[in-house]
Amino acid sequence: MRLKDKVAIVTGGGVGIGRAYSLGLAKEGARVAVADIQEDEARKVAAEIKRLDGEAFAVPVDVTSPEKTQAMADETVKRYGRIDVLVNNAGLYTVLKKKPFTEIDPEEWDRVMAVNVKGLFLCTKAVHPVMKKQKKGKIINISSGTVLGGTPYFLHYVSSKAGVIGFTRALAREVGADNICVNAITPGLTISGSNQEGVLTPEQREDRRKRRSFQRDQYPQDLVGTVIFLSSDDSDFITGQVINVDGGANMH
Ligand SMILES: NC(=O)c1ccc[n+]([C@@H]2O[C@H](COP(=O)([O-])OP(=O)(O)OC[C@H]3O[C@@H](n4cnc5c(N)ncnc54)[C@H](O)[C@@H]3O)[C@@H](O)[C@H]2O)c1
């Protein structure tokens, strides 16, 4: 078990890819705070981990709230005494409709930035004092392959995920002295459950498959190994990096 005695928070950990991160980290021995705005889903995942003899609890969080993100960190420390890993996974993605940028209203733009960028800032701010005191921590930010490809009709989303990369690099410089690693992952289009029905047409899925070196669909499990690696001591000298996990679609 590579994460024995570690404590991890996974935001958006109750649904989709975040659920797979929660389960995967727990399988490697981490105690997991499954943090989600969908509290019932977070509870289900925590219960599933316990059934598999892992350790987890569900914590409700809205990542746009300074109070709720602080409460998430406080509750985790109260339960498990430390925070080793923060996976900043919560995001607005499957709920967004693709449309020309001229049709994105300013409120929707602000909401995407609030969850997908400010959310990372607030969660990081909440866990940082704990990691600093421990003289070690791992922050893993979930960006998106849409940044590499410049996916059209998704301007707010792609801009927010580009923001995640800037956030990762600048933060890595600031917290290096605290021995905190900050890295990002750019997942390719992943069949996460939520985006399966209605959002992706069979043609779009076929198109994505063809663009990859490995010509198959990408699933949450394809991303879990990278999150475990970035959470583990094996990646202690890696920081400020963006790791692309997309089956060889993008190669820059
Ligand atoms: N599925 C993909 O193809 C893909 C590709 C690249 C990146 N991503 C990113 O991976 C992450 C997970 O994607 P997914 O497909 O599982 O999406 P999803 O919509 O299934 O999951 C998003 C999660 O974030 C949570 N969430 C939303 N707003 C929140 C808030 N204000 N506070 C707390 N939690 C909140 C949701 O409850 C949910 O658990 C997202 O950041 C997404 O942008 C997904």
Side-chain angles (χ1 to χ4, degrees):
M1 286 207 190
R2 280 179 288 173
L3 303 177
K4 200 170 173 309
D5 301 327
K6 306 243 189 242
V7 173
I9 297 176
V10 181
T11 67
V15 175
I17 309 176
R19 174 178 169 273
Y21 296 149
S22 299
L23 287 161
L25 292 167
K27 208 171 155 197
E28 287 294 335
R31 289 170 284 169
V32 180
V34 184
D36 208 305
I37 202 164
Q38 300 187 59
E39 201 179 341
D40 288 351
E41 300 303 320
R43 271 207 215 96
K44 280 188 219 160
V45 173
E48 197 176 344
I49 289 171
K50 285 186 183 157
R51 273 200 305 279
L52 296 166
D53 289 332
E55 182 58 48
F57 78 102
V59 57
V61 73
D62 177 346
V63 295
T64 67
S65 155
E67 294 77 25
K68 298 271 171 53
T69 48
Q70 189 56 55
M72 170 188 77
D74 292 348
E75 186 60 25
T76 305
V77 172
K78 200 170 139 201
R79 295 258 186 157
Y80 296 146
R82 52 189 298 116
I83 303 170
D84 300 287
V85 179
L86 168 66
V87 185
N88 274 317
N89 165 78
L92 293 184
Y93 162 60
T94 52
V95 295
L96 300 174
K97 296 268 171 289
K98 284 194 175 167
K99 53 182 128 173
F101 83 92
T102 47
E103 289 171 23
I104 297 175
D105 64 50
E107 290 72 29
E108 187 178 342
W109 178 278
D110 286 349
R111 181 72 192 147
V112 172
M113 294 299 157
V115 178
N116 293 7
V117 187
K118 187 181 173 192
L120 275 64
F121 162 65
L122 293 176
C123 291
T124 300
K125 242 184 140 184
V127 304
H128 176 250
V130 183
M131 291 183 172
K132 185 180 162 85
K133 206 165 144 206
Q134 292 167 185
K135 298 191 173 59
K136 188 160 179 176
K138 305 273 188 177
I139 297 171
I140 303 163
N141 301 318
I142 306 302
S143 177
S144 163
T146 57
V147 176
L148 308 177
T151 304
Y153 307 116
F154 225 19
L155 194 63
H156 43 5
Y157 179 78
V158 180
S159 302
S160 73
K161 292 296 182 177
V164 171
I165 294 176
F167 175 89
T168 299
R169 290 176 175 162
L171 182 66
R173 297 267 183 217
E174 281 201 44
V175 299
D178 304 324
N179 199 30
I180 299 171
C181 302
V182 189
N183 293 291
I185 299 175
T186 50
L189 183 74
T190 305
I191 308 304
S192 65
S194 329
N195 63 358
Q196 212 162 346
E197 299 304 328
V199 181
L200 298 172
T201 63
E203 293 74 26
Q204 281 171 322
R205 280 177 68 166
E206 179 56 20
D207 177 60
R208 292 309 164 118
R209 284 194 288 267
K210 279 190 183 147
R211 287 194 221 170
R212 296 194 172 113
S213 298
F214 304 128
Q215 296 197 340
R216 64 162 176 81
D217 284 327
Q218 176 164 350
Y219 291 99
Q221 204 53 38
D222 294 314
L223 293 154
V224 172
T226 308
V227 167
I228 291 170
F229 170 65
L230 291 176
S231 302
S232 77
D233 296 344
D234 291 342
S235 57
D236 279 357
F237 206 55
I238 299 177
T239 197
Q241 304 305 306
V242 181
I243 302 185
N244 183 40
V245 184
D246 70 355
N250 286 292
M251 296 190 182
H252 23 119

